[in-house]
């Protein structure tokens, strides 16, 4: 997107709307590509959402309640938390807040023309919201109903309704046409009531999407969410309970019924999901804060003015103290522990690599980052974090002038690379992570004149690997598994004659062979990896596992034992051999 728009309105297999990608591209153009600019966008959107919400509430309530809501929205854990992760859900939260501000302002426009213009703007805003996040439909239904109800009984309602409908249709129509053409199965796989199996294992995760707001989640499978109590601290959850009781007691009030409907509709995407993610239910946050504010105000209203102020001050200090502790204490510590939460989504190894690479760039200038030789290269965070000093991807830097290069690799390939580049420094990045393939190592190697002869082949191979990875990641072409593997196999001329590159290619080939269930092809890939590349314990352990699955236990034992004889063995070959002998007792060696 920094170079040109490819016409896509959705990205990835999850059919993620393009709005957040567009916003990131604009942010990167303005401030450059870095971790700071990546994290600047969600922080700015979170702050903008706070301002729109505060202005909207001030329009419909008194000063005291507005100030209370101002404090809840500006200092609470939920609004601060959602701006700390670069996720498209925070764009939806910002846009929802803007639409709420529009919703409370347009009926009060001074004249018919102004009301029609504001109705058209409301339609445009709600239609454009579909480009923010997949859970936008909850906000759309809620505010569309609100707008149409407010229009009834207003003089000249038809022009306003027409403007609203036209404004809604213009941005929303391309979205729905594109979505209908390639929605895929992602959404149906997330649906709780897809089948009996989904309901059996997914009900507790669906429930966690509700409980996370009040007392926490089931820790299994929770990627985003609170790590200590709920999004609302115990005092805030209690205030919500008081406010909810008031709404139910006064349910005849149309505003109360609307607020109850907003709560239910906002939580619905989570209730219908088989996984836990706060951003699916983030649209409910403004309404949760309103009910909390209502609960606090009901509590303080039973006191005398002096006592009420003192009680509000004490409760507010305690509540905001709990939220600050959650954000800066347990949450901050947990995300710094490898694998403690959402291990598949945390870039632990790449973050460790960045901590070595940043000082290297500061002292030696730009270098070249080879990040696509590792087996699982779908995680592209290091390419973004290192963009400012990566001459391979940053067009403002020169590859020819780079004084060093860095490579991510399977640690079992490192002894061969150490012999080839003895001046390099190597760091194992997967300590404490239990990676069956040994994980990942980082090499930082001075780029001497004698090493530059290898660069053209490495640059070509890395570019080809990256192209294939991004094509698979973004699902830009509809290809079958075997067709994709044939394309990978077509990269052989690029790696021929370089044992390290051969190892990387056949490591990837074996992984995808296993993924589509082609065990004979996986064996051939491993054999080529060992004959053309760098024979090592990882290939031998994998050979044993594949032969085991082929029901060839004696050959499997041979390769597992061979893996154990290597000086460098970071595989679970010992455990695999023990389990193999337990299943096939005849394979156990008898004592002499």
């Amino acid at each position: 997107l920094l170079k040109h728009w490819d016409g896509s309105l959705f990205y990835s297999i999850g059919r993620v709307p393009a709005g957040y990608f567009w916003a990131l591209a604009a942010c990167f153009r303005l401030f450059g590509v870095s971790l700071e600019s990546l994290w600047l966008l969600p922080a700015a959107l979170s702050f903008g959402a706070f301002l729109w919400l505060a202005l909207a509430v001030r329009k419909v309530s008194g000063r005291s309640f507005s100030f209370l809501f101002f404090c809840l929205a500006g200092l609470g854990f939920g609004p601060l938390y959602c701006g700390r992760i670069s996720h498209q859900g925070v764009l939806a939260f910002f846009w929802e807040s803007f639409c709420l501000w529009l919703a409370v302002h347009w009926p009060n426009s001074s004249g018919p023309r102004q009301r029609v213009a504001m109705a058209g703007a409301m339609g445009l805003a709600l239609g454009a919201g579909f480009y923010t996040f997949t859970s936008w439909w909850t906000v759309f239904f809620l505010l569309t109903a609100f707008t149409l109800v407010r229009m009834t009984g207003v003089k000249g309602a038809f022009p306003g309704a027409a403007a609203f409908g036209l404004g809604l249709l213009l941005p929303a129509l391309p979205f729905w046409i594109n979505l209908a053409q390639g929605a895929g199965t992602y959404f149906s796989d997330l649906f709780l009531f897809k089948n009996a199996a989904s309901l059996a294992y997914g009900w507790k995760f669906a429930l966690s999407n509700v409980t996370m707001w009040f007392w926490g989640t089931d820790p299994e499978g929770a990627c985003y969410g609170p790590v200590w109590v709920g999004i609302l601290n115990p005092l805030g959850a209690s205030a919500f309970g008081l406010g909810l009781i008031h709404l139910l007691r006064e349910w005849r009030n149309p505003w109360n019924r609307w607020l109850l409907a907003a709560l239910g509709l906002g939580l619905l995407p989570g209730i219908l999901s088989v996984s836990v993610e706060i951003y699916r239910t983030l649209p409910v946050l403004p309404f949760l804060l309103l009910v909390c504010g209502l609960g606090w105000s009901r509590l303080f209203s039973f006191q005398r003015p002096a006592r009420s102020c003192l009680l509000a001050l004490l409760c507010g200090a305690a509540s905001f103290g709990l939220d600050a502790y959650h954000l800066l204490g347990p949450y901050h510590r947990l995300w710094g522990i490898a694998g403690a939460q959402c291990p598949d989504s945390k870039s632990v190894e790449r973050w460790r690599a960045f901590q070595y690479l940043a000082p290297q760039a500061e002292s030696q200038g730009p270098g070249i980052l080879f990040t696509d030789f590792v087996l699982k290269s779908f995680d592209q965070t290091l390419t973004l974090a290192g963009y400012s000093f990566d001459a391979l991807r940053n067009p403002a830097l020169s590859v020819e002038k780079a004084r060093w290069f860095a490579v991510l690799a399977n640690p079992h390939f490192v002894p061969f690379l150490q012999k080839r580049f003895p001046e390099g420094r190597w760091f194992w990045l997967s300590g404490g992570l239990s990676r069956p393939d040994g994980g990942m190592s980082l090499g930082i190697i001075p780029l001497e004149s004698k090493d530059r002869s290898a660069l053209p082949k490495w640059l070509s191979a890395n570019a080809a690997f990256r192209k294939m990875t991004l094509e698979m990641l973004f699902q830009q072409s509809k290809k079958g598994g075997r067709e994709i593997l044939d394309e990978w196999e077509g990269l052989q001329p690029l790696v021929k004659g370089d044992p390290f590159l051969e190892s990387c290619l056949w490591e990837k080939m074996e992984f995808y062979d296993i993924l589509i269930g082609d065990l004979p092809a996986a064996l051939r890939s491993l054999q080529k990896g060992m004959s053309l590349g760098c024979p090592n314990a990882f290939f031998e352990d994998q050979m044993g596992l594949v032969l085991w699955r082929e029901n060839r236990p004696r050959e499997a034992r041979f390769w597992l034992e061979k893996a154990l004889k290597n000086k460098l063995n970071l595989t679970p070959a010992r455990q695999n051999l023990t389990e193999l002998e337990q299943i096939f007792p005849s394979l156990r060696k008898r004592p002499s």
Side-chain angles (χ1 to χ4, degrees):
L1 284 175
L2 283 174
K3 297 178 182 178
H4 61 86
W5 180 40
D6 59 5
S8 298
L9 297 183
F10 301 93
Y11 291 95
S12 87
I13 194 173
R15 306 297 290 163
V16 178
Y20 193 74
F21 293 88
W22 296 339
L24 269 179
C27 189
F28 288 158
R29 281 188 179 276
L30 288 172
F31 304 107
V33 182
S34 67
L35 286 177
E36 287 75 15
S37 54
L38 175 73
W39 291 330
L40 173 65
L41 178 61
L45 290 173
S46 178
F47 181 70
F50 156 70
L51 292 180
W52 287 124
L53 287 174
L55 291 173
V57 171
R58 182 68 188 91
K59 186 71 176 180
V60 297
S61 65
R63 292 183 178 180
S64 58
F65 187 85
S66 298
F67 178 74
L68 179 59
F69 184 87
F70 186 88
C71 294
L72 290 172
L75 300 175
F77 175 82
L80 292 173
Y81 170 86
C82 73
R84 292 180 62 85
I85 299 177
S86 189
H87 188 285
Q88 58 270 15
V90 72
L91 177 60
F93 178 51
F94 167 83
W95 204 248
E96 175 192 19
S97 303
F98 171 67
C99 288
L100 285 170
W101 176 82
L102 276 179
V104 299
H105 274 71
W106 79 263
N108 300 319
S109 301
S110 57
R113 291 185 178 180
Q114 288 79 3
R115 284 196 292 271
V116 170
M118 287 293 286
M122 187 72 185
L124 281 170
L126 287 176
F130 285 110
Y131 295 88
T132 60
F133 190 43
T134 51
S135 60
W136 180 258
W137 60 271
T138 60
V139 181
F140 167 74
F141 283 128
L142 183 70
L143 292 186
T144 297
F146 175 86
T147 303
L148 295 178
V149 169
R150 293 298 300 274
M151 283 183 180
T152 58
V154 177
K155 186 178 180 180
F158 179 76
F164 176 78
L166 182 61
L168 188 64
L169 190 63
L170 287 175
L173 191 60
F175 175 90
W176 285 106
I177 291 175
N178 278 266
L179 184 64
Q181 290 175 347
T185 60
Y186 180 75
F187 295 116
S188 65
D189 290 340
L190 287 176
F191 188 50
L192 177 64
F193 298 101
K194 178 183 179 181
N195 50 45
S198 297
L199 186 60
Y201 82 85
W203 68 268
K204 63 178 180 179
F205 300 137
L207 188 61
S208 286
N209 282 302
V210 178
T211 62
M212 77 162 75
W213 292 97
F214 307 106
W215 61 81
T217 69
D218 187 315
E220 183 182 351
C223 279
Y224 305 111
V227 298
W228 177 77
V229 301
I231 299 294
L232 300 176
N233 63 61
L235 289 174
S238 300
F240 174 85
L242 290 174
L244 185 61
I245 291 171
H246 174 73
L247 290 180
L248 294 172
R249 290 181 62 183
E250 304 291 338
W251 68 274
R252 289 185 176 85
N253 185 317
W255 285 104
N256 291 356
R257 290 201 299 271
W258 182 81
L259 194 50
L260 287 169
L263 291 173
L265 200 58
L267 292 172
L268 197 58
I271 295 172
L272 298 178
S273 301
V274 293
S275 60
V276 184
E277 184 184 318
I278 182 179
Y279 290 101
R280 288 191 195 126
T281 56
L282 192 60
V284 82
L285 180 56
F287 311 111
L288 283 176
L289 295 177
L290 282 173
V291 179
C292 285
L294 184 60
W296 284 122
S297 62
R298 295 292 296 172
L299 176 64
F300 303 148
S301 65
F302 291 106
Q303 307 293 326
R304 294 178 180 176
R307 290 183 179 180
S308 178
C309 291
L310 180 61
L311 182 61
L313 184 62
L314 292 175
C315 289
S319 179
F320 302 140
L322 290 172
D323 285 338
Y325 171 74
H326 189 178
L327 189 66
L328 303 177
Y331 166 78
H332 183 76
R333 289 195 300 269
L334 187 66
W335 280 92
I337 300 172
Q341 187 182 28
C342 207
D344 293 332
S345 298
K346 291 173 65 176
S347 301
V348 178
E349 286 125 324
R350 287 170 175 79
W351 171 247
R352 292 173 177 175
F354 180 75
Q355 291 178 308
Y356 291 115
L357 292 170
Q360 173 73 16
E362 189 174 346
S363 61
Q364 298 294 320
I368 301 171
L369 305 188
F370 292 108
T371 59
D372 290 274
F373 292 147
V374 289
L375 175 59
K376 298 178 181 179
S377 55
F378 291 119
D379 183 345
Q380 295 292 318
T381 49
L382 185 59
T383 62
L384 186 148
Y387 185 87
S388 62
F389 55 79
D390 181 9
L392 184 59
R393 295 184 178 87
N394 191 333
L397 305 176
S398 170
V399 171
E400 290 74 19
K401 294 181 180 180
R403 298 168 56 190
W404 58 276
F405 69 95
V407 57
L408 295 178
N410 186 307
H412 293 99
F413 304 158
V414 169
F416 302 90
L417 291 170
Q418 283 177 320
K419 292 179 182 179
R420 185 171 179 180
F421 306 107
E423 303 87 0
R425 296 180 296 136
W426 292 89
F427 310 94
W428 186 41
L429 305 173
S430 303
L433 295 180
S434 301
R435 306 296 196 214
D437 59 352
M440 195 181 298
S441 287
L442 170 72
I444 300 179
I445 302 161
L447 196 50
E448 307 292 345
S449 57
K450 61 183 177 60
D451 298 324
R452 289 189 178 272
S453 60
L455 269 186
K457 185 177 284 288
W458 279 43
L459 290 170
S460 299
N462 189 81
F465 286 2
R466 178 171 175 78
K467 178 178 179 295
M468 292 292 294
T469 296
L470 294 180
E471 184 175 308
M472 296 174 69
L473 180 64
F474 289 105
Q475 300 285 302
Q476 291 174 338
S477 58
K478 304 298 180 183
K479 298 176 182 177
R482 189 70 259 171
E483 188 178 356
I484 292 174
L485 280 169
D486 290 341
E487 288 192 24
W488 276 106
E489 201 162 0
L491 302 180
Q492 290 184 72
L494 293 176
V495 303
K496 187 176 181 180
D498 190 309
F500 169 65
L501 297 181
E502 293 271 14
S503 296
C504 295
L505 175 62
W506 295 110
E507 179 189 28
K508 291 174 182 286
M509 284 290 297
E510 186 266 345
F511 175 79
Y512 294 117
D513 286 330
I514 292 291
L515 207 59
I516 67 171
D518 193 343
L519 298 183
L523 288 175
R524 290 193 297 271
S525 296
L526 288 169
Q527 289 164 351
K528 289 184 178 180
M530 287 187 286
S531 61
L532 301 174
C534 312
N536 56 77
F538 168 67
F539 280 151
E540 291 159 356
D541 177 64
Q542 287 297 110
M543 181 73 81
L545 291 176
V546 176
L547 288 166
W548 184 354
R549 291 181 62 178
E550 284 264 270
N551 200 26
R552 297 157 65 179
R554 292 191 180 279
E555 295 172 82
R557 185 185 67 177
F558 170 81
W559 286 105
L560 292 174
E561 288 179 338
K562 191 174 178 65
L564 292 173
K565 295 177 183 178
N566 282 272
K567 290 183 179 180
L568 178 60
N569 174 29
L570 299 173
T571 72
R574 173 67 64 189
Q575 178 183 347
N576 294 334
L577 181 60
T578 301
E579 293 178 1
L580 178 69
E581 291 177 344
Q582 287 175 348
I583 296 174
F584 301 97
S586 61
L587 295 179
R588 296 176 185 169
K589 293 182 178 180
R590 297 178 181 178
S592 57

